[in-house]
Amino acid sequence: MFRTALRNVLAHKARLLMTVLAVMLGVAFVSGTLVFTDTLSNAFRGQSAKSYDDVAVAVEMYPSAEEARKTPGLSQQVVDKVAKLDGVASVGPRVDGFAGVPDKDGKLIGVGWSNKGTNFAPGKDGKDRAYTFTAGNGPASAGQIALDRDTADKGGYKVGDTVRVATNAPVKEYELSGVFTTEDGAVNAGGSLVLFDTSVAQKLYLKPGYFQNLTVTATPGADADKLRDEVLKVVPKAATAQTGADLAEQQAKDIEAGLGALNQVLLGFAGIALFVGIFLISNTFTMLVAQRTKELALMRAVGASRKQITRSVLAEAGLVGLLASAVGYVLGIGLAVGLRSAMNAFDLKIPAGDLVLEGTPVLIAFTVGVLITMLAAWLPGRRAAKIPPVAAMSSVHATQSTKSLVVRNSIGAAITALGAVLIVLGAGQGGDDGRMLIAGGAFLTLIGVIVLIPFLSRPVIAVIRPFFVKVFGVSGKLAGLNAVRNPRRTGATASALAIGLTLVTGLSVLGATVGAALDKMTTDQIKADYMVSMASGTALSEEALTALEKAPGVTAVSPQQNGAFELKGSYVSASGVTPGDIEKVLKLDVVSGSMASLDQGKIAVDDKTAAKRGLKVGDTVPVEWLDKQKGKLTVGAVYKGSEFVSPVLIDTELVSAHDDQAGIQQIFVSTEGGPSAAHEKALSKAMGDNPAITVMDQKDIRDLFGGQINMLLNIVYGLLAMALVIAVLGVVNTLAMSVFERQQEIGMLRAIGLDRRRVKRMVRLEAVVISVFGAVVGIGLGSFLGWAIGETFKNSLPGYALVLPWDRIGVFLVLAALVGVLASLWPARSAAKLNMLAAIKTE
């Protein structure tokens, strides 16, 4: 039976090619993902170990707001005490924060969050062990800086040049004293690193005389654990200390955890592709078994048992899966290399390291590939073994029993109904619990629809068919009839497209709905012409607020300044705003009281907070500020909650009086006559043309939210493209088999006058009908799921309303039809080239 399986594989190479491709693509994604993440993990581990190679102990101190009032960090006295401990060779104290450098066009180099500044901390030899200088030296005075080599190259800077550096303070110019290389994670993430003189960095990021962290290098033979214990005795209680080895291991674990999430996402899409491939494989073996019905019947007649027949089909599938897995694994290695190169191309630099080829990806790739293929072939093999020898030899095509179809449709309908009920219940419940119900319901519904899809093919295609008959005549009519001739085959082929489009449509509906809600929220709540913020996401300084207030053409300015105080036993978040201007830049619906009361030292509370804490206009409540001072505040207004401010609004003067380090997240600005290029230029100039500060109009704000959603959707579309490629292979396979089975029929049609052009058109239209059928099912199910998931968080998203992206849905239908046309090129050409006399003689 094994020789028979091998002979059948060699005899049907072209037919099995589609199966090989489907399994190969899925295995390539699985193995490529595993090799890629193993390689990244190994590279980052190596980088982490190298970064802490000379570090015996690392000390960090990031105190709470209350602790920072007493001790903002590690003082110079603490650093000196650590340096005098036995076993300490040197100490490298650091203080860091945001620092951005523009290129020659004034645009920020890097991505904001990965732009970093720190101090140059030379030892007794004048060198800083963390950096290797390729040109010049570290900054020796307050007017100098050093840049990492990549940033210097991107900006076209050389030693001696003047460089503008943006921090939370106004932009300043420095002389470039040196260029260096580093293993710093910010630089490897595509950002930049600026080295300042220590006194400058302390003034910028913390307080003169204080540091945030320090690294300790030990003398030869010193025990790192004992040295850590000694260091802990002389540093403040708020500080933490770890050995360099422990810190490197911790970072490696954090990296693995981060890569684990990426690994799961990529493997999830690989699983979808393999799931889609199951239908193609099952279809292929079903049709191969149907073509060999007489051969299998003869084998039964000469003594082969049912188990032997099934094993023969499974052995055939195993050989195909083995071949596909081998090729897929090799392609997966290429995919891993390509992904690594792509990340480097996007400035997401990967540390140097060898490609890691471990045994686990190989084992998983071959196990998945072979098992998936054999699982998909098991049912066709079992079905073939059940055919009685006499019945099989009497007909090439085994008939499907009415009973089996009734049972299948009943099971499919029951599973689909149960899944739909769970989805509706989840949509009504909302929250995480609701989403879990929807996930379970979606799985059941998808399985149910796949089981039920042969039954659905007839009514759905019956709706589509009149259009094809009217437009394409006889070819269209024949195509529609051929598409429903074998409902199981049509259903299995359409299922592959339906799965992919269910996911794509569901995410598109969800993305369009959330995007529209965010857009409406922005339009409804922001009256300001501009929103000013830091590209890094860090806070703006009060100097920026003062500069904007003085800018020409500005009519109203209000910040969103971070504040907090204790109210009735618990802390509440507050936004420091400018009384009188806040109503001009944001639309705040006042429920009771007046926003003008903010100018009298009163507070405004949103309606949910007021209801939760039992507050109303006129109430006076005791509060405790972050600096531990106590006082009383009166509620002057209650307003409907806004996404752009905190639950409590208060005058900026009150916030600053109790927290001199309160950051400003955004500043809203209204200008005379509305937004214009001149106003935008004036605001940028008022900010000192700071490349790290973004000035966004309302369109930019909408794009900020909507752009993230669209980017995520595009990534998902790209990852799901492989599943759609496999679906195309399924259509090709089905049509090829269909043409092979209908050779005699096609010969008869040619004999009675159907020319080659119309034969091609018939096959193409059949492919389009099947593809559009799958698309309709997928789009319908995806829209239903998109609605259900959206319902679970509509209460947390103001202005939520279901949006069906008809333009994208139209594109999906057109693409589905195009898939059918492309998939039919080879089968249609083969059908048209059939010799009509030879085809008529075909049994």
Side-chain angles (χ1 to χ4, degrees), residues 218-446:
T219 57
D223 184 88
D225 290 322
K226 290 182 179 178
L227 188 57
R228 177 198 57 203
D229 295 339
E230 292 300 315
V231 167
L232 282 171
K233 293 177 182 178
V234 299
V235 298
K237 292 182 179 180
T240 60
Q242 286 181 281
T243 63
D246 289 344
L247 196 58
E249 183 64 26
Q250 182 60 48
Q251 283 201 0
K253 290 180 179 179
D254 293 342
I255 289 167
E256 282 191 6
L259 291 176
L262 173 65
N263 200 24
Q264 290 174 6
V265 171
L266 293 177
L267 287 177
F269 285 102
I272 293 168
L274 288 169
F275 185 59
V276 171
I278 287 176
F279 297 97
L280 189 157
I281 299 165
S282 180
N283 233 7
T284 301
F285 278 94
T286 297
M287 290 183 277
L288 286 176
V289 167
Q291 290 176 17
R292 288 162 34 210
T293 303
K294 285 189 175 181
E295 175 190 329
L296 294 173
L298 182 60
M299 292 174 65
R300 290 290 312 282
V302 297
S305 66
R306 289 185 175 183
K307 289 183 178 180
Q308 286 178 310
I309 296 295
T310 302
R311 283 200 296 267
S312 173
V313 176
L314 290 178
E316 189 176 336
L319 289 171
V320 172
L322 195 63
L323 173 63
S325 298
V327 178
Y329 177 71
V330 175
L331 285 178
I333 295 174
L335 178 63
V337 173
L339 285 172
R340 183 169 179 169
S341 299
M343 292 184 74
N344 286 328
F346 283 99
D347 283 339
L348 299 174
K349 298 179 182 178
I350 307 302
D354 296 329
L355 190 69
V356 177
L357 300 177
E358 296 183 347
T360 302
V362 179
L363 182 62
I364 292 177
F366 278 84
T367 302
V368 167
V370 174
L371 285 181
I372 286 291
T373 311
M374 294 181 70
L375 176 65
W378 174 75
L379 193 58
R382 184 169 175 270
R383 192 180 297 130
K386 284 185 174 182
I387 302 173
V390 176
M393 285 189 285
S394 65
S395 175
V396 174
H397 306 294
T399 58
Q400 299 170 359
S401 68
T402 304
K403 180 181 177 181
S404 67
L405 289 175
V406 170
V407 171
R408 174 177 179 145
N409 293 338
S410 300
I411 293 173
I415 295 174
T416 303
L418 177 60
V421 168
L422 288 176
I423 291 172
V424 172
L425 288 175
Q429 182 169 338
D432 291 337
D433 292 339
R435 283 188 280 274
M436 290 296 294
L437 280 175
I438 291 173
F443 176 77
L444 290 176
T445 303
L446 197 59

Side-chain angles (χ1 to χ4, degrees), residues 456-469 484 769 772-773 776:
L456 296 174
S457 64
R458 291 186 181 277
V460 174
I461 292 177
V463 174
I464 302 172
R465 190 167 58 204
F467 169 78
F468 288 93
V469 174
V484 294
V769 168
V772 171
F773 165 54
V776 169

